[in-house]
Amino acid sequence: MKNKNVIIAPSILASDFANLQSECEMLNNSEADWFHIDVMDGVFVPNISFGMPVIKAIKKHAKKPMDVHLMIVQPERYIKDFKEAGADILTVHLEASTHLHRTIQEIKKAGMKAGVSINPHTSVTLLEDILAEIDLVLIMSVNPGFGGQSFIENTYSKVEELREMASVLNPELIIEVDGGVNSNNAKELVAAGANALVAGSFVFKSENPAQTISSLKKG
Ligand code: DX5
Ligand code: ZN
Protein backbone atom coordinates (compact mmCIF):
# COMPACT_ATOMS: atom_id res chain seq x y z
CA MET A 1 0.00 0.00 0.00
CA LYS A 2 1.30 3.48 -0.89
CA ASN A 3 1.37 6.10 1.86
CA LYS A 4 -1.00 8.16 -0.31
CA ASN A 5 -3.82 5.91 0.81
CA VAL A 6 -2.78 6.14 4.40
CA ILE A 7 -4.85 8.17 6.82
CA ILE A 8 -2.79 10.80 8.64
CA ALA A 9 -4.21 11.76 12.03
CA PRO A 10 -2.24 14.55 13.74
CA SER A 11 -2.63 14.48 17.52
CA ILE A 12 -3.99 17.71 18.97
CA LEU A 13 -2.23 16.84 22.26
CA ALA A 14 0.97 18.29 20.84
CA SER A 15 -0.67 21.46 19.48
CA ASP A 16 -0.68 24.94 21.02
CA PHE A 17 -3.78 24.92 23.27
CA ALA A 18 -3.72 28.70 23.52
CA ASN A 19 -4.26 28.87 19.76
CA LEU A 20 -6.57 25.94 19.13
CA GLN A 21 -8.57 27.69 16.43
CA SER A 22 -5.55 28.41 14.27
CA GLU A 23 -4.19 24.89 14.88
CA CYS A 24 -7.56 23.53 13.65
CA GLU A 25 -7.43 25.75 10.59
CA MET A 26 -3.91 24.60 9.82
CA LEU A 27 -5.16 20.99 9.91
CA ASN A 28 -8.22 21.86 7.79
CA ASN A 29 -5.96 23.33 5.12
CA SER A 30 -3.41 20.51 5.27
CA GLU A 31 -3.41 16.97 3.89
CA ALA A 32 -4.39 15.61 7.32
CA ASP A 33 -7.31 13.20 7.14
CA TRP A 34 -8.49 13.14 10.76
CA PHE A 35 -8.12 15.10 13.98
CA HIS A 36 -6.70 12.73 16.64
CA ILE A 37 -8.01 13.68 20.09
CA ASP A 38 -6.41 12.10 23.18
CA VAL A 39 -8.54 11.94 26.32
CA MET A 40 -6.68 10.94 29.51
CA ASP A 41 -8.23 10.55 32.96
CA GLY A 42 -5.25 10.32 35.33
CA VAL A 43 -6.40 6.79 36.30
CA PHE A 44 -5.96 4.56 33.26
CA VAL A 45 -2.87 6.60 32.38
CA PRO A 46 -0.69 8.76 34.64
CA ASN A 47 -1.71 12.02 32.98
CA ILE A 48 -4.81 14.19 32.49
CA SER A 49 -5.39 15.89 29.13
CA PHE A 50 -8.80 17.45 28.44
CA GLY A 51 -12.49 16.59 28.25
CA MET A 52 -15.81 17.55 26.69
CA PRO A 53 -15.58 21.38 26.66
CA VAL A 54 -12.29 21.30 24.77
CA ILE A 55 -13.52 18.64 22.34
CA LYS A 56 -16.63 20.74 21.65
CA ALA A 57 -14.42 23.77 21.00
CA ILE A 58 -12.31 21.79 18.53
CA LYS A 59 -15.46 20.49 16.81
CA LYS A 60 -16.56 24.06 16.10
CA HIS A 61 -13.55 24.52 13.83
CA ALA A 62 -12.63 21.02 12.63
CA LYS A 63 -13.73 20.23 9.08
CA LYS A 64 -12.45 16.65 9.19
CA PRO A 65 -13.48 13.55 11.16
CA MET A 66 -12.69 13.57 14.88
CA ASP A 67 -10.82 10.43 15.90
CA VAL A 68 -11.23 10.27 19.67
CA HIS A 69 -8.85 8.02 21.62
CA LEU A 70 -10.09 7.35 25.14
CA MET A 71 -7.41 6.52 27.69
CA ILE A 72 -9.93 6.33 30.50
CA VAL A 73 -11.33 3.61 32.76
CA GLN A 74 -14.93 2.47 32.17
CA PRO A 75 -15.27 4.35 28.86
CA GLU A 76 -18.80 2.93 28.48
CA ARG A 77 -20.04 5.59 30.90
CA TYR A 78 -19.47 8.41 28.42
CA ILE A 79 -20.32 7.07 24.95
CA LYS A 80 -23.28 9.43 24.35
CA ASP A 81 -21.36 12.41 25.74
CA PHE A 82 -18.50 11.89 23.32
CA LYS A 83 -20.95 11.57 20.43
CA GLU A 84 -22.57 14.85 21.48
CA ALA A 85 -19.17 16.50 21.83
CA GLY A 86 -18.43 15.66 18.18
CA ALA A 87 -16.62 12.30 18.00
CA ASP A 88 -16.90 10.46 14.67
CA ILE A 89 -14.65 7.56 15.64
CA LEU A 90 -14.53 6.42 19.26
CA THR A 91 -11.68 4.16 20.38
CA VAL A 92 -11.56 2.50 23.79
CA HIS A 93 -8.77 0.47 25.35
CA LEU A 94 -9.18 -3.30 25.56
CA GLU A 95 -7.50 -3.09 28.97
CA ALA A 96 -10.08 -0.56 30.25
CA SER A 97 -13.45 -2.06 29.31
CA THR A 98 -14.59 -5.26 31.01
CA HIS A 99 -17.57 -5.81 28.70
CA LEU A 100 -15.83 -4.73 25.53
CA HIS A 101 -18.30 -6.40 23.17
CA ARG A 102 -21.21 -4.47 24.70
CA THR A 103 -19.23 -1.23 24.65
CA ILE A 104 -18.51 -1.67 20.93
CA GLN A 105 -22.20 -2.29 20.15
CA GLU A 106 -23.13 0.86 22.04
CA ILE A 107 -20.58 2.98 20.22
CA LYS A 108 -21.96 1.79 16.87
CA LYS A 109 -25.56 2.27 18.04
CA ALA A 110 -24.67 5.86 18.94
CA GLY A 111 -23.66 6.39 15.30
CA MET A 112 -19.86 6.36 15.54
CA LYS A 113 -17.18 4.13 14.11
CA ALA A 114 -15.83 1.83 16.82
CA GLY A 115 -12.17 1.26 17.60
CA VAL A 116 -10.21 -0.81 20.11
CA SER A 117 -6.76 0.17 21.28
CA ILE A 118 -4.11 -2.09 22.79
CA ASN A 119 -1.13 -1.20 24.96
CA PRO A 120 2.40 -2.29 24.00
CA HIS A 121 2.23 -5.35 26.27
CA THR A 122 -1.13 -6.59 24.93
CA SER A 123 -1.03 -9.30 22.29
CA VAL A 124 -3.01 -8.75 19.08
CA THR A 125 -4.32 -12.32 19.44
CA LEU A 126 -6.62 -11.02 22.22
CA LEU A 127 -8.55 -9.14 19.52
CA GLU A 128 -9.59 -12.29 17.68
CA ASP A 129 -13.15 -12.48 19.02
CA ILE A 130 -13.92 -8.79 18.58
CA LEU A 131 -12.17 -8.14 15.26
CA ALA A 132 -15.21 -8.73 13.03
CA GLU A 133 -17.24 -6.22 15.08
CA ILE A 134 -14.96 -3.21 14.88
CA ASP A 135 -13.87 -0.61 12.33
CA LEU A 136 -10.40 0.10 13.69
CA VAL A 137 -7.59 -1.16 15.89
CA LEU A 138 -5.27 1.41 17.42
CA ILE A 139 -1.93 -0.18 18.22
CA MET A 140 -0.03 1.83 20.82
CA SER A 141 3.63 2.09 19.86
CA VAL A 142 4.48 3.84 23.16
CA ASN A 143 2.98 3.44 26.62
CA PRO A 144 -0.06 5.73 26.56
CA GLY A 145 -0.11 8.90 28.63
CA PHE A 146 2.34 11.28 27.06
CA GLY A 147 3.37 12.66 23.70
CA GLY A 148 6.98 12.81 22.62
CA GLN A 149 8.09 9.29 23.62
CA SER A 150 10.24 6.90 21.58
CA PHE A 151 8.69 4.38 19.23
CA ILE A 152 8.75 0.74 20.41
CA GLU A 153 10.23 -1.45 17.65
CA ASN A 154 8.14 -4.52 18.47
CA THR A 155 5.18 -2.66 16.93
CA TYR A 156 6.08 -3.72 13.38
CA SER A 157 5.53 -7.41 14.07
CA LYS A 158 2.27 -6.66 15.91
CA VAL A 159 0.98 -4.76 12.87
CA GLU A 160 1.98 -7.62 10.57
CA GLU A 161 0.31 -10.23 12.74
CA LEU A 162 -2.88 -8.19 13.04
CA ARG A 163 -3.06 -7.52 9.29
CA GLU A 164 -2.83 -11.23 8.70
CA MET A 165 -5.62 -11.95 11.20
CA ALA A 166 -7.73 -9.18 9.65
CA SER A 167 -7.31 -10.56 6.13
CA VAL A 168 -9.51 -13.44 7.26
CA LEU A 169 -11.73 -11.85 9.92
CA ASN A 170 -12.16 -8.24 8.75
CA PRO A 171 -10.45 -7.24 5.48
CA GLU A 172 -11.68 -3.63 5.78
CA LEU A 173 -10.09 -3.13 9.19
CA ILE A 174 -8.22 0.13 9.70
CA ILE A 175 -4.95 -0.45 11.56
CA GLU A 176 -3.81 2.79 13.20
CA VAL A 177 -0.46 3.20 14.95
CA ASP A 178 -0.01 5.78 17.71
CA GLY A 179 3.12 6.99 19.50
CA GLY A 180 6.55 8.11 18.32
CA VAL A 181 5.54 8.00 14.65
CA ASN A 182 7.85 9.97 12.36
CA SER A 183 9.48 9.79 8.92
CA ASN A 184 11.89 7.08 10.14
CA ASN A 185 9.19 4.51 10.85
CA ALA A 186 6.14 5.56 8.79
CA LYS A 187 7.10 3.70 5.62
CA GLU A 188 7.90 0.47 7.42
CA LEU A 189 4.63 0.65 9.38
CA VAL A 190 2.65 0.99 6.15
CA ALA A 191 4.62 -1.89 4.61
CA ALA A 192 3.69 -3.99 7.65
CA GLY A 193 -0.01 -3.30 7.07
CA ALA A 194 -0.87 -0.08 8.92
CA ASN A 195 -3.19 2.31 7.07
CA ALA A 196 -3.59 5.10 9.62
CA LEU A 197 -0.79 6.95 11.39
CA VAL A 198 -1.11 9.26 14.39
CA ALA A 199 1.65 11.84 14.80
CA GLY A 200 1.83 14.44 17.56
CA SER A 201 5.24 15.92 18.27
CA PHE A 202 6.62 15.08 14.85
CA VAL A 203 3.96 17.30 13.25
CA PHE A 204 3.38 20.10 15.75
CA LYS A 205 6.96 20.60 16.91
CA SER A 206 8.22 20.82 13.33
CA GLU A 207 8.90 24.14 11.64
CA ASN A 208 6.17 23.68 9.06
CA PRO A 209 3.46 21.30 10.37
CA ALA A 210 1.43 21.29 7.13
CA GLN A 211 4.52 20.33 5.16
CA THR A 212 5.38 17.61 7.68
CA ILE A 213 1.87 16.19 7.25
CA SER A 214 2.37 16.17 3.44
CA SER A 215 5.69 14.37 3.85
CA LEU A 216 4.04 11.65 5.99
CA LYS A 217 1.26 11.35 3.42
CA LYS A 218 3.75 10.97 0.57
CA GLY A 219 5.74 8.34 2.45
C1 DX5 B 1 -0.15 8.99 23.73
C2 DX5 B 1 -1.22 9.47 22.79
C3 DX5 B 1 -0.70 9.83 21.46
C4 DX5 B 1 0.28 10.98 21.47
C5 DX5 B 1 1.21 10.79 20.31
O1 DX5 B 1 -0.71 8.50 24.89
O2 DX5 B 1 -2.21 8.47 22.60
O3 DX5 B 1 -1.74 10.07 20.53
O4 DX5 B 1 -0.34 12.22 21.40
O5 DX5 B 1 2.21 11.72 20.41
P1 DX5 B 1 3.63 11.52 19.71
O6 DX5 B 1 3.39 11.41 18.25
O7 DX5 B 1 4.37 12.76 20.12
O8 DX5 B 1 4.23 10.26 20.29
ZN1 ZN C 1 -3.68 8.75 20.85
Side-chain angles (χ1 to χ4, degrees):
M1 191 182 298
K2 285 213 182 102
N3 268 34
K4 253 201 307 199
N5 304 318
V6 169
I7 292 161
I8 304 297
S11 169
I12 293 286
L13 188 66
S15 72
D16 178 0
F17 291 172
N19 289 296
L20 264 184
Q21 182 174 352
S22 66
E23 297 285 44
C24 289
E25 277 157 12
M26 181 279 290
L27 292 181
N28 287 339
N29 295 324
S30 77
E31 287 182 69
D33 297 279
W34 294 347
F35 283 53
H36 186 79
I37 316 266
D38 289 303
V39 180
M40 305 176 182
D41 66 354
V43 179
F44 180 68
V45 289
N47 194 13
I48 299 175
S49 58
F50 48 74
M52 308 305 171
V54 174
I55 299 174
K56 285 181 185 160
I58 296 168
K59 185 68 178 180
K60 273 206 280 186
H61 303 290
K63 297 201 177 113
K64 296 177 179 179
M66 307 255 289
D67 170 34
V68 177
H69 175 195
L70 299 185
M71 287 158 276
I72 65 173
V73 296
Q74 297 180 303
E76 56 279 356
R77 290 180 299 166
Y78 298 107
I79 292 170
K80 280 210 182 95
D81 300 276
F82 282 109
K83 171 68 182 171
E84 279 164 25
D88 297 288
I89 304 150
L90 195 64
T91 295
V92 300
H93 267 262
L94 179 140
E95 303 87 356
S97 185
T98 309
H99 300 286
L100 184 62
H101 186 276
R102 181 187 291 143
T103 305
I104 294 303
Q105 305 311 322
E106 284 174 6
I107 292 172
K108 292 197 289 191
K109 212 163 41 179
M112 294 174 282
K113 285 197 189 301
V116 174
S117 183
I118 54 170
N119 279 337
H121 72 273
T122 302
S123 166
V124 297
T125 57
L126 294 176
L127 293 164
E128 196 175 347
D129 291 314
I130 198 73
L131 213 52
E133 306 288 329
I134 58 183
D135 299 290
L136 174 152
V137 171
L138 176 58
I139 297 188
M140 286 307 303
S141 40
V142 298
N143 286 294
F146 303 92
Q149 304 180 80
S150 309
F151 180 82
I152 297 171
E153 299 284 323
N154 182 46
T155 308
Y156 299 119
S157 57
K158 290 177 79 168
V159 172
E160 266 172 30
E161 194 181 348
L162 180 60
R163 184 51 79 197
E164 197 161 317
M165 281 167 66
S167 69
V168 181
L169 297 167
N170 184 350
E172 301 296 308
L173 183 76
I174 296 172
I175 301 181
E176 186 174 26
V177 177
D178 185 7
V181 171
N182 56 40
S183 52
N184 297 325
N185 48 38
K187 221 182 236 164
E188 208 173 325
L189 286 169
V190 172
N195 53 352
L197 301 175
V198 176
S201 323
F202 183 63
V203 166
F204 285 98
K205 309 293 179 219
S206 71
E207 218 157 278
N208 185 335
Q211 212 170 68
T212 306
I213 293 166
S214 301
S215 73
L216 280 174
K217 191 84 184 164
K218 281 193 195 85

PDB file of all heavy atoms in Angstrom, residues 17 25 31 53 70 72 121 168-169 178 193 197:
ATOM      1  N   PHE A  17      -2.403  24.806  22.752  1.00  0.00           N
ATOM      2  CA  PHE A  17      -3.775  24.917  23.269  1.00  0.00           C
ATOM      3  C   PHE A  17      -4.249  26.369  23.384  1.00  0.00           C
ATOM      4  O   PHE A  17      -5.451  26.624  23.426  1.00  0.00           O
ATOM      5  CB  PHE A  17      -3.897  24.241  24.646  1.00  0.00           C
ATOM      6  CG  PHE A  17      -3.779  22.732  24.606  1.00  0.00           C
ATOM      7  CD1 PHE A  17      -3.709  22.007  25.785  1.00  0.00           C
ATOM      8  CD2 PHE A  17      -3.750  22.040  23.405  1.00  0.00           C
ATOM      9  CE1 PHE A  17      -3.608  20.612  25.765  1.00  0.00           C
ATOM     10  CE2 PHE A  17      -3.650  20.653  23.372  1.00  0.00           C
ATOM     11  CZ  PHE A  17      -3.574  19.938  24.559  1.00  0.00           C
ATOM     12  N   GLU A  25      -7.421  25.262  11.974  1.00  0.00           N
ATOM     13  CA  GLU A  25      -7.435  25.751  10.591  1.00  0.00           C
ATOM     14  C   GLU A  25      -6.237  25.238   9.801  1.00  0.00           C
ATOM     15  O   GLU A  25      -6.366  24.888   8.626  1.00  0.00           O
ATOM     16  CB  GLU A  25      -7.529  27.282  10.562  1.00  0.00           C
ATOM     17  CG  GLU A  25      -8.980  27.716  10.718  1.00  0.00           C
ATOM     18  CD  GLU A  25      -9.173  29.134  11.242  1.00  0.00           C
ATOM     19  OE1 GLU A  25      -8.180  29.894  11.289  1.00  0.00           O
ATOM     20  OE2 GLU A  25     -10.323  29.451  11.604  1.00  0.00           O
ATOM     21  N   GLU A  31      -3.007  18.278   4.417  1.00  0.00           N
ATOM     22  CA  GLU A  31      -3.414  16.968   3.893  1.00  0.00           C
ATOM     23  C   GLU A  31      -3.810  15.990   4.994  1.00  0.00           C
ATOM     24  O   GLU A  31      -3.973  14.798   4.741  1.00  0.00           O
ATOM     25  CB  GLU A  31      -2.276  16.375   3.056  1.00  0.00           C
ATOM     26  CG  GLU A  31      -2.096  17.076   1.720  1.00  0.00           C
ATOM     27  CD  GLU A  31      -0.992  16.426   0.893  1.00  0.00           C
ATOM     28  OE1 GLU A  31      -1.185  15.287   0.439  1.00  0.00           O
ATOM     29  OE2 GLU A  31       0.057  17.079   0.729  1.00  0.00           O
ATOM     30  N   PRO A  53     -15.534  19.984  27.141  1.00  0.00           N
ATOM     31  CA  PRO A  53     -15.579  21.377  26.656  1.00  0.00           C
ATOM     32  C   PRO A  53     -14.523  21.657  25.592  1.00  0.00           C
ATOM     33  O   PRO A  53     -14.794  22.382  24.613  1.00  0.00           O
ATOM     34  CB  PRO A  53     -15.294  22.206  27.924  1.00  0.00           C
ATOM     35  CG  PRO A  53     -15.636  21.297  29.058  1.00  0.00           C
ATOM     36  CD  PRO A  53     -15.326  19.911  28.594  1.00  0.00           C
ATOM     37  N   LEU A  70      -9.815   7.264  23.706  1.00  0.00           N
ATOM     38  CA  LEU A  70     -10.094   7.350  25.144  1.00  0.00           C
ATOM     39  C   LEU A  70      -9.090   6.529  25.945  1.00  0.00           C
ATOM     40  O   LEU A  70      -9.060   5.299  25.849  1.00  0.00           O
ATOM     41  CB  LEU A  70     -11.512   6.822  25.434  1.00  0.00           C
ATOM     42  CG  LEU A  70     -12.665   7.575  24.774  1.00  0.00           C
ATOM     43  CD1 LEU A  70     -13.998   7.011  25.270  1.00  0.00           C
ATOM     44  CD2 LEU A  70     -12.569   9.071  25.048  1.00  0.00           C
ATOM     45  N   ILE A  72      -9.189   6.151  29.250  1.00  0.00           N
ATOM     46  CA  ILE A  72      -9.930   6.328  30.502  1.00  0.00           C
ATOM     47  C   ILE A  72     -10.501   4.987  30.944  1.00  0.00           C
ATOM     48  O   ILE A  72     -10.770   4.121  30.110  1.00  0.00           O
ATOM     49  CB  ILE A  72     -11.095   7.355  30.346  1.00  0.00           C
ATOM     50  CG1 ILE A  72     -12.188   6.853  29.377  1.00  0.00           C
ATOM     51  CG2 ILE A  72     -10.564   8.694  29.827  1.00  0.00           C
ATOM     52  CD1 ILE A  72     -13.418   7.750  29.316  1.00  0.00           C
ATOM     53  N   HIS A 121       2.072  -3.994  25.739  1.00  0.00           N
ATOM     54  CA  HIS A 121       2.231  -5.351  26.269  1.00  0.00           C
ATOM     55  C   HIS A 121       1.088  -6.285  25.883  1.00  0.00           C
ATOM     56  O   HIS A 121       1.129  -7.479  26.209  1.00  0.00           O
ATOM     57  CB  HIS A 121       2.323  -5.314  27.806  1.00  0.00           C
ATOM     58  CG  HIS A 121       1.007  -4.992  28.454  1.00  0.00           C
ATOM     59  ND1 HIS A 121       0.570  -3.707  28.684  1.00  0.00           N
ATOM     60  CD2 HIS A 121       0.011  -5.805  28.885  1.00  0.00           C
ATOM     61  CE1 HIS A 121      -0.626  -3.745  29.242  1.00  0.00           C
ATOM     62  NE2 HIS A 121      -0.998  -5.005  29.373  1.00  0.00           N
ATOM     63  N   VAL A 168      -8.489 -12.394   7.168  1.00  0.00           N
ATOM     64  CA  VAL A 168      -9.513 -13.435   7.261  1.00  0.00           C
ATOM     65  C   VAL A 168     -10.782 -12.902   7.948  1.00  0.00           C
ATOM     66  O   VAL A 168     -11.892 -13.110   7.479  1.00  0.00           O
ATOM     67  CB  VAL A 168      -8.980 -14.645   8.079  1.00  0.00           C
ATOM     68  CG1 VAL A 168     -10.024 -15.742   8.175  1.00  0.00           C
ATOM     69  CG2 VAL A 168      -7.675 -15.152   7.480  1.00  0.00           C
ATOM     70  N   LEU A 169     -10.593 -12.195   9.051  1.00  0.00           N
ATOM     71  CA  LEU A 169     -11.730 -11.851   9.918  1.00  0.00           C
ATOM     72  C   LEU A 169     -12.393 -10.510   9.601  1.00  0.00           C
ATOM     73  O   LEU A 169     -13.568 -10.303   9.914  1.00  0.00           O
ATOM     74  CB  LEU A 169     -11.278 -11.847  11.393  1.00  0.00           C
ATOM     75  CG  LEU A 169     -10.806 -13.199  11.932  1.00  0.00           C
ATOM     76  CD1 LEU A 169     -10.103 -13.022  13.274  1.00  0.00           C
ATOM     77  CD2 LEU A 169     -12.003 -14.142  12.072  1.00  0.00           C
ATOM     78  N   ASP A 178      -0.016   4.549  16.910  1.00  0.00           N
ATOM     79  CA  ASP A 178      -0.009   5.780  17.707  1.00  0.00           C
ATOM     80  C   ASP A 178       1.151   5.793  18.702  1.00  0.00           C
ATOM     81  O   ASP A 178       1.221   4.942  19.587  1.00  0.00           O
ATOM     82  CB  ASP A 178      -1.355   5.872  18.451  1.00  0.00           C
ATOM     83  CG  ASP A 178      -1.529   7.170  19.230  1.00  0.00           C
ATOM     84  OD1 ASP A 178      -0.678   8.065  19.108  1.00  0.00           O
ATOM     85  OD2 ASP A 178      -2.546   7.267  19.948  1.00  0.00           O
ATOM     86  N   GLY A 193       1.445  -3.148   7.153  1.00  0.00           N
ATOM     87  CA  GLY A 193      -0.011  -3.297   7.075  1.00  0.00           C
ATOM     88  C   GLY A 193      -0.811  -2.206   7.770  1.00  0.00           C
ATOM     89  O   GLY A 193      -2.042  -2.263   7.818  1.00  0.00           O
ATOM     90  N   LEU A 197      -1.917   6.590  10.539  1.00  0.00           N
ATOM     91  CA  LEU A 197      -0.791   6.951  11.395  1.00  0.00           C
ATOM     92  C   LEU A 197      -1.142   8.193  12.201  1.00  0.00           C
ATOM     93  O   LEU A 197      -1.578   9.202  11.640  1.00  0.00           O
ATOM     94  CB  LEU A 197       0.458   7.244  10.548  1.00  0.00           C
ATOM     95  CG  LEU A 197       0.973   6.114   9.633  1.00  0.00           C
ATOM     96  CD1 LEU A 197       2.137   6.626   8.778  1.00  0.00           C
ATOM     97  CD2 LEU A 197       1.410   4.896  10.455  1.00  0.00           C
TER      98      LEU A 197
END
